[in-house]
Amino acid sequence: MDELKYYSSNFSFKSILSSFSYWPRLFKLLWEINKFYFILIIGCSLLQGLIPAFVIIATQEFINSIVSSQNSGAFSDVFFSFGLLAGATILNELVSVLRGYVERLYESLIGYRLNETIMSKSNDLPLESFENADVQDKLKRAQSEASYRPYQIFSQILSLISQAVTLFSVAAILIIWKWWVACLLIVFPLVSFISFLKLGQEEFDIHFRRAPKTRESWYLSFLLTKDNSFKEVKLFKLGSYLIDQYKRIFSGFFEEDKEIAKKRSFLSIRFQFLNELISAIIIFMIAFAAFNQEIMIGNLVGMIQAVTMTQGNSQGVVQGVLSLCQNSLYMKQLFAFLDLEVVKEEDDTNAEELGEIRSLEFRNVSFVYPNTPNLALKHVTFSLKKGETVAVVGKNGSGKSTMVKVLTQLYSSYEGEVLINNQDVRSYSKSAIRQRIGAVFQDFVHYEMSARNNIGFGNLQKIKDDESILNAAERSGVLPLINKLNKGIDSQLGRWFEDGQQLSGGQWQRIAIARAFMREADVYILDEPSSFLDPEAEADIFSRFQDLVKDKIGLFISHRFSSVKFADKIIVFDNGEIIEMGSHEELISLNGLYKDLYDTQVNALVRDEVQLQGV
Ligand SMILES: Nc1ncnc2c1ncn2[C@@H]1O[C@H](COP(=O)(O)OP(=O)(O)OP(=O)(O)O)[C@@H](O)[C@H]1O
Ligand SMILES: [Mg+2]
């Protein structure tokens, strides 16, 4: 709502002025995208602006030459003026075809380039900013407008220039006759400016108020059209309920649109009527002058054309300025996103060389997610060293995944210290640290791409190295599956694109683990690697993992105690804190949370077995 106020209070004469301030930036952006097209389009529109006046003068000359040839009997002058008129008309056609061609190319180029700019800006953002709702809003707005608004504005500015050129060159024809007639035609449409400006403001306010609803409708259609939600939508028969909600949102929008369209029509009728009245009076005056033989018949035709054109272009200039004001607000949104401050993640000018990671340590680390009230990590202290396999357990929401995100430096606004090889992690470059860590996040990605990409993304340098990819697949136990796929590692995975082969949850998980194993890392982290795996697969993965991390650092988070109990060290999280730490036996003898969780799981298993035997 604040945003609405901000924008609407600015939509006034002030906003017109402030919109000018974006023009140099916009022009610079467009100029950098393609200088040749830029110049060509400006040239074409200036030419297109001048041609109408030229056509009028040529028409005037043509008719006058016919009239004079009737008196003098010499027809040659007619040829000349006809050639002039034909030339102007052909030039006009050629210029507009050329402009149309260049415009289409330039427009699509701008769309791609701006989306590219937005994507690389997104890529530069740290996770903290990325998860911020305000940043997400800015991103969405920039994204939805980026592909066409900047060009729209550019082309509006150009038509404005060309209309202004036409307006003044054509008006000059009338000024020579009676200056006040031209002034009247130019100034009157300005009166309508205020009314249309108010309407434009109203429309923009509505548009802004709609933003959350628009997002909601986008989400509804997303639920109905994406495969991961589609199954539930079908099973719970949510389709018509969701479509109804979508319809309700749009019928509200439609009513508002209708109201604005009505107001616009009434306003247009009123001004159009007055405009026509004025031009009728002026045309009558011109006819009267011709009747009194003050002007020639060719001038009569030319001046009548000049009246219509002056009026049309004057209105066009007013409308152009109006929509420019509105469009400039969208430019604000694009630049608001592009101007977001980014602490450059890859700034490693003063970074220390990071050799092998031999130890990792959290010293009194506390962390709170931005804009949330509670600490997600509270004074967390632990250390890991080469050759150790460490398991992390704890209830849902106890801070396990958060610890991994801080460890991989996805968040950097924590208190306390994270140390690598006994040195503050901040003294190394983030990319160097990440290069040496292979991780599978709890919400790992299913890339709707080839198996090669899905695994090779773990180490882009080796994406073309089949042996490394197959090796990683072997390590995560997914190789037999890949061998069965129709195109081996080049088979498309998922169902989104042609020839895609869908995998089971556990198979996707093994692929993600292979991706982490693809890295030649010193630290391997698996956040709930067994959540989709059957007990046998889990045991298999775990033994492969232990094998892999034999003289490295291995960290895994799991709710399954059958794997956890074999770790060298177990860290127990509760409510953001580490409350217990030690080997399985040590923790059992502590009789604390670990033992409780362990007993609950073991008892459940025993109960299941008893029930099974009872069947
Ligand atoms: N991106 C986020 N922004 C804000 N709060 C978050 C975010 N991610 C997690 N949290 C909050 O931080 C707390 C710890 O979450 P975390 O994901 O670390 O739990 P976890 O121990 O991994 O749980 P689980 O076993 O369910 O995976 C939770 O209260 C959660 O609501
Ligand atoms: Mg988690």
Side-chain angles (χ1 to χ4, degrees):
M1 234 21 214
D2 277 353
E3 200 162 12
L4 170 67
K5 231 168 65 194
Y6 168 75
Y7 280 106
S8 49
S9 62
N10 274 276
F11 195 92
S12 59
F13 285 110
K14 232 178 170 179
S15 100
I16 300 170
L17 291 180
S18 84
S19 75
F20 288 118
S21 66
Y22 285 93
W23 290 11
R25 256 190 100 175
L26 175 72
F27 276 88
K28 186 166 172 275
L29 202 75
L30 301 180
W31 168 255
E32 278 163 5
I33 288 174
N34 193 310
K35 300 180 178 67
F36 178 64
Y37 289 166
F38 184 86
I39 293 173
L40 205 59
I41 292 179
I42 293 186
C44 284
S45 42
L46 285 179
L47 211 55
Q48 276 185 312
L50 282 172
I51 288 173
F54 190 63
V55 170
I56 292 180
I57 293 170
T59 315
Q60 214 166 274
E61 286 309 307
F62 179 57
I63 298 173
N64 287 345
S65 67
I66 295 173
V67 175
S68 359
S69 72
Q70 282 170 342
N71 299 333
S72 67
F75 195 64
S76 58
D77 281 357
V78 177
F79 277 121
F80 177 72
S81 51
F82 178 75
L84 223 56
L85 181 60
T89 317
I90 291 170
L91 184 68
N92 196 15
E93 287 304 317
L94 287 180
V95 171
S96 78
V97 169
L98 177 67
R99 182 178 168 171
Y101 171 73
V102 181
E103 263 188 334
R104 262 191 293 280
L105 297 184
Y106 198 31
E107 191 175 2
S108 70
L109 199 63
I110 291 170
Y112 291 131
R113 284 288 161 76
L114 285 177
N115 275 327
E116 210 178 288
T117 313
I118 290 173
M119 286 197 284
S120 57
K121 177 75 190 186
S122 281
N123 190 35
D124 285 345
L125 291 175
L127 184 62
E128 266 134 325
S129 312
F130 200 75
E131 287 182 340
N132 179 304
D134 183 45
V135 173
Q136 280 293 320
D137 279 350
K138 285 196 171 109
L139 170 61
K140 278 261 150 57
R141 288 193 182 122
Q143 225 174 3
S144 60
E145 310 297 339
S147 50
Y148 70 101
R149 289 281 182 193
Y151 189 78
Q152 210 174 49
I153 294 177
F154 178 61
S155 117
Q156 271 171 352
I157 294 173
L158 291 185
S159 12
L160 209 60
I161 294 173
S162 110
Q163 276 173 332
V165 171
T166 311
L167 176 64
F168 290 108
S169 52
V170 171
I173 298 173
L174 294 174
I175 289 174
I176 294 168
W177 179 56
K178 279 187 179 21
W179 65 269
W180 57 267
V181 166
C183 290
L184 192 65
L185 286 171
I186 294 174
V187 171
F188 183 73
L190 287 181
V191 182
S192 67
F193 184 76
I194 310 287
S195 317
F196 279 109
L197 188 67
K198 274 197 186 138
L199 194 66
Q201 175 177 353
E202 209 174 306
E203 201 171 359
F204 191 82
D205 289 355
I206 287 175
H207 193 96
F208 243 83
R209 229 178 301 127
R210 272 180 193 178
K213 282 274 169 208
T214 312
R215 270 204 301 280
E216 206 179 311
S217 69
W218 170 84
Y219 183 64
L220 289 169
S221 92
F222 171 84
L223 284 180
L224 280 159
T225 52
K226 281 285 167 284
D227 57 351
N228 30 3
S229 48
F230 196 74
K231 292 188 289 284
E232 285 206 16
V233 169
K234 272 266 175 269
L235 191 67
F236 295 127
K237 288 199 172 149
L238 304 177
S240 45
Y241 178 78
L242 296 177
I243 291 172
D244 274 352
Q245 277 194 318
Y246 186 86
K247 274 191 198 151
R248 203 165 312 139
I249 292 174
F250 274 94
S251 64
F253 285 0
F254 184 69
E255 286 308 313
E256 285 175 337
D257 288 342
K258 209 159 98 183
E259 213 38 53
I260 288 283
K262 248 194 235 164
K263 283 188 188 169
R264 191 173 289 280
S265 306
F266 281 129
L267 212 58
S268 300
I269 287 177
R270 228 178 304 153
F271 281 104
Q272 218 46 46
F273 176 73
L274 286 173
N275 256 332
E276 296 307 333
L277 192 67
I278 289 176
S279 58
I281 293 171
I282 294 173
I283 289 171
F284 186 77
M285 282 167 58
I286 296 170
F288 195 66
F291 174 72
N292 286 338
Q293 296 192 343
E294 287 165 26
I295 54 173
M296 288 183 71
I297 197 76
N299 296 57
L300 168 83
V301 176
M303 280 162 73
I304 290 177
Q305 275 180 342
V307 169
T308 333
M309 277 201 182
T310 307
Q311 198 171 48
N313 282 289
S314 172
Q315 273 176 338
V317 168
V318 167
Q319 291 296 337
V321 172
L322 276 170
S323 52
L324 258 182
C325 295
Q326 235 170 341
N327 272 335
S328 294
L329 293 172
Y330 295 100
M331 286 306 294
K332 257 188 203 170
Q333 291 166 5
L334 175 66
F335 288 125
F337 177 71
L338 294 183
D339 288 346
L340 277 177
E341 252 188 70
V342 175
V343 187
K344 200 87 177 105
E345 284 214 318
E346 306 305 327
D347 182 17
D348 46 11
T349 33
N350 298 318
E352 300 248 346
E353 274 287 313
L354 175 64
E356 183 194 14
I357 300 181
R358 294 177 306 277
S359 70
L360 276 174
E361 191 178 344
F362 266 47
R363 231 181 248 172
N364 215 2
V365 173
S366 297
F367 175 71
V368 55
Y369 281 103
N371 307 319
T372 59
N374 300 320
L375 282 170
L377 295 179
K378 292 178 207 160
H379 308 289
V380 171
T381 300
F382 66 88
S383 64
L384 313 170
K385 53 181 191 296
K386 194 173 153 177
E388 253 183 352
T389 309
V390 177
V392 180
V393 297
K395 293 180 191 161
N396 292 133
S398 56
K400 306 180 295 294
S401 300
T402 306
M403 181 271 286
V404 172
K405 288 188 267 182
V406 171
L407 182 64
T408 46
Q409 294 294 295
L410 288 169
Y411 292 107
S412 42
S413 58
Y414 51 84
E415 277 175 25
E417 280 178 293
V418 177
L419 305 164
I420 290 183
N421 300 345
N422 297 320
Q423 209 164 302
D424 195 317
V425 76
R426 290 181 174 123
S427 60
Y428 306 110
S429 86
K430 281 185 179 151
S431 62
I433 298 167
R434 290 181 193 150
Q435 189 62 36
R436 299 191 159 271
I437 297 179
V440 179
F441 292 103
Q442 196 168 9
D443 49 356
F444 62 87
V445 182
H446 299 186
Y447 294 97
E448 298 276 338
M449 293 179 174
S450 64
R452 177 191 296 282
N453 280 356
N454 265 282
I455 298 175
F457 279 179
N459 188 353
L460 272 181
Q461 278 100 353
K462 297 218 162 160
I463 198 149
K464 295 210 169 102
D465 178 354
D466 290 16
E467 203 183 309
S468 299
I469 292 179
L470 293 173
N471 200 8
E474 156 88 72
R475 279 172 164 174
S476 78
V478 81
L479 189 59
L481 167 79
I482 288 182
N483 286 336
K484 266 194 272 169
L485 297 175
N486 59 355
K487 287 189 196 154
I489 47 173
D490 289 309
S491 313
Q492 171 75 19
L493 303 186
R495 295 247 71 155
W496 284 25
F497 301 105
E498 225 170 301
D499 286 339
Q501 302 180 52
Q502 185 57 297
L503 305 185
S504 73
Q507 288 166 335
W508 273 115
Q509 190 152 32
R510 278 177 185 261
I511 292 269
I513 293 170
R515 181 157 64 241
F517 286 177
M518 191 66 196
R519 279 246 139 129
E520 282 143 13
D522 305 321
V523 182
Y524 288 95
I525 303 172
L526 305 182
D527 192 350
E528 303 222 18
S530 48
S531 51
F532 288 99
L533 300 181
D534 59 61
E536 209 177 304
E538 181 206 344
D540 179 47
I541 284 280
F542 188 67
S543 80
R544 287 167 193 273
F545 181 67
Q546 273 192 317
D547 211 32
L548 180 79
V549 300
K550 216 175 279 159
D551 52 356
K552 302 186 180 223
I553 298 173
L555 181 82
F556 71 99
I557 298 172
S558 181
H559 288 290
R560 299 233 191 128
F561 288 80
S562 48
S563 309
V564 170
K565 66 183 190 188
F566 296 110
D568 301 321
K569 183 154 76 181
I570 300 162
I571 301 176
V572 187
F573 267 83
D574 191 34
N575 213 3
E577 281 175 288
I578 293 182
I579 53 160
E580 291 164 15
M581 190 154 38
S583 67
H584 173 72
E585 288 72 27
E586 285 166 349
L587 292 179
I588 290 290
S589 63
L590 267 184
N591 232 340
L593 179 65
Y594 181 83
K595 185 165 186 301
D596 275 355
L597 295 171
Y598 181 77
D599 285 348
T600 314
Q601 203 166 89
V602 171
N603 289 341
L605 276 175
V606 170
R607 213 173 36 236
D608 284 352
E609 260 170 42
V610 170
Q611 273 174 0
L612 274 175
Q613 279 163 11
V615 172

